Amino acid sequence: MATGLVERATEADEPGLRALLREVTVPGAVRLSYQREPAFHAADACLGDRVDTLAGRLAPDGPPVAVVQRASRTVFVDGRPTRVGYIGGLRARPDRTVRTLVGQGWTQLRAVHDADPVPVTFLAVTAENDRIRRLLAVQRGDAPTVTPVADVVTLALVVHRRHRTHAPVDPADADTLRAALGPARDLFPAGPLPRLGETTEVAVDGAALTLWDASPVRQTVVRGYDGVLGRVRPLANGALRMLGASPLPAIGRPLRSAFAVRPVWRDAEALDAVVGAALGEARAQGLAFLLLGLDARDPALPLLQRRLHVAYRSTLLAATWPGDAPPSFRSPVHVEIASY
């Protein structure tokens, strides 16, 4: 059986990588494809300041059948700026032969790690994605030791007519809050916000976040509805319309959503207030959902869960190779889903 090869992606792989993202779906009650149109690398800045892309193929001149990216960025750990890595964007065609690429993939990722060493590298896997979990469990090549760091809850908060815009804020207010509160949160990004395109600062007393509509460079496209949601979708759409919210998208259509980027807050009530303000801004921009990720242990989560939402669960994992010196993390950690 041919084992294929894993190597750095080239400019010639661009169309094939985008086609792969359109083809491979992430399972769940709503099956999704995470796409990057019109250019695969246009969203790399949100992943880190260094990003390496690896493509797997079953023949030397064949199209990509798997892709993974390794990024590095600076975050706060125990109040100090610390370089960490992140492995993300892992997509693979469902062919059984793709499993033969796993060992080479780990070996190439280890080579990238050795060229840009960090004490710990993270990756996130959705709860329903058993296939990717099985691939990660294949101990071939230079596979790292993988341990869980946190369970993550991503809230897709529904935007509806009751959400109202607030007076615009001075971006300096948000920067002041981040400078005061960010370093106290492990894995909170250090340094300036990367160039993400059009963003909107939202702040209230004691909390701030940046609203980012990533659709010009990253799209979340619905590929199917399963389980109970698949059966009751017409009823759910009727209820959403009564609330003045957008119906669930048709299959093949994107979710009109924005990320809550770099949120900071003094207490749960302040976070709930700034999320309410952000939902009003999202409504003014014609968006249907606001996406916010939290450590499942975060005491602010139960208050936000009272808002109308769809929840997605995932696990944040730490990957370490021999010689790495992973720090310990305070609980709960900061979750930046826009960088996953």
Side-chain angles (χ1 to χ4, degrees):
M1 180 182 294
T3 58
L5 72 159
V6 177
E7 57 189 358
R8 289 183 182 272
T10 68
E11 185 176 347
D13 289 316
E14 170 83 17
L17 292 175
R18 288 188 284 113
L20 181 65
L21 296 190
R22 292 193 297 268
E23 175 186 351
V24 178
T25 62
V26 176
V30 183
R31 280 181 283 118
L32 303 169
S33 60
Y34 296 105
Q35 300 177 192
R36 296 192 186 184
E37 304 291 346
F40 181 86
H41 293 289
D44 281 359
C46 73
L47 303 178
D49 46 51
R50 169 175 172 160
V51 181
D52 293 273
T53 303
L54 302 177
R57 44 188 118 245
L58 298 178
D61 297 323
V65 297
V67 63
V68 66
Q69 292 187 290
R70 188 273 196 180
S72 57
R73 54 189 183 243
T74 303
V75 300
F76 288 105
V77 176
D78 198 23
R80 296 187 297 273
T82 304
R83 294 286 293 174
V84 300
Y86 180 73
I87 296 171
L90 176 58
R91 299 289 183 270
R93 281 175 48 186
D95 308 34
R96 289 179 60 86
T97 50
V98 171
R99 290 175 63 88
T100 65
L101 300 173
V102 174
Q104 287 190 60
W106 282 129
T107 298
Q108 292 291 345
L109 286 168
R110 173 66 186 272
V112 172
H113 168 78
D114 289 347
D116 179 28
V118 294
V120 63
T121 300
F122 297 96
L123 59 154
V125 183
T126 58
E128 298 90 349
N129 204 337
D130 292 334
R131 182 166 171 270
I132 293 299
R133 290 176 183 272
R134 289 194 296 271
L135 287 175
L136 292 175
V138 176
Q139 294 295 301
R140 296 175 181 166
D142 290 303
T145 299
V146 178
T147 55
V149 173
D151 290 325
V152 175
V153 179
T154 296
L155 301 177
L157 296 150
V158 178
V159 178
H160 54 75
R161 70 163 66 92
R162 292 185 181 180
H163 297 133
R164 296 287 184 264
T165 56
H166 290 58
V169 302
D170 185 342
D173 294 339
D175 291 340
T176 300
L177 276 170
R178 289 194 179 98
L181 301 177
R185 190 94 168 179
D186 279 346
L187 306 188
F188 189 86
L193 192 70
R195 297 181 64 181
L196 298 175
E198 293 297 323
T199 59
T200 304
E201 292 291 352
V202 184
V204 300
D205 185 22
L209 60 82
T210 300
L211 192 70
W212 177 40
D213 177 3
S215 59
V217 293
R218 293 170 58 180
Q219 303 83 33
T220 302
V221 179
V222 173
R223 295 301 178 187
Y225 294 92
D226 294 328
V228 174
L229 185 57
R231 295 191 294 272
V232 304
R233 181 176 157 227
L235 294 175
N237 281 341
L240 288 169
R241 289 188 179 95
M242 289 180 64
L243 287 170
S246 300
L248 296 170
I251 294 173
R253 301 296 298 172
L255 290 172
R256 291 285 292 132
S257 60
F259 291 101
V261 178
R262 298 193 181 191
V264 292
W265 61 95
R266 289 203 172 96
D267 52 45
E269 289 72 20
L271 176 60
D272 186 61
V274 79
V275 165
L279 286 165
E281 182 60 37
R283 181 172 181 265
Q285 295 181 20
L287 301 170
F289 296 95
L290 174 65
L291 305 178
L292 172 67
L294 290 175
D295 189 317
R297 300 164 294 188
D298 199 300
L301 181 60
L303 183 58
L304 289 184
Q305 287 176 317
R306 297 178 186 178
R307 294 182 176 272
L308 186 61
H309 71 278
V310 178
Y312 298 87
R313 292 188 173 270
S314 56
T315 304
L316 184 65
L317 304 167
T320 55
W321 280 277
D324 289 350
S328 58
F329 302 105
R330 287 174 287 190
S331 171
V333 299
H334 175 81
V335 177
E336 192 68 74
I337 59 171
S339 298
Y340 290 180

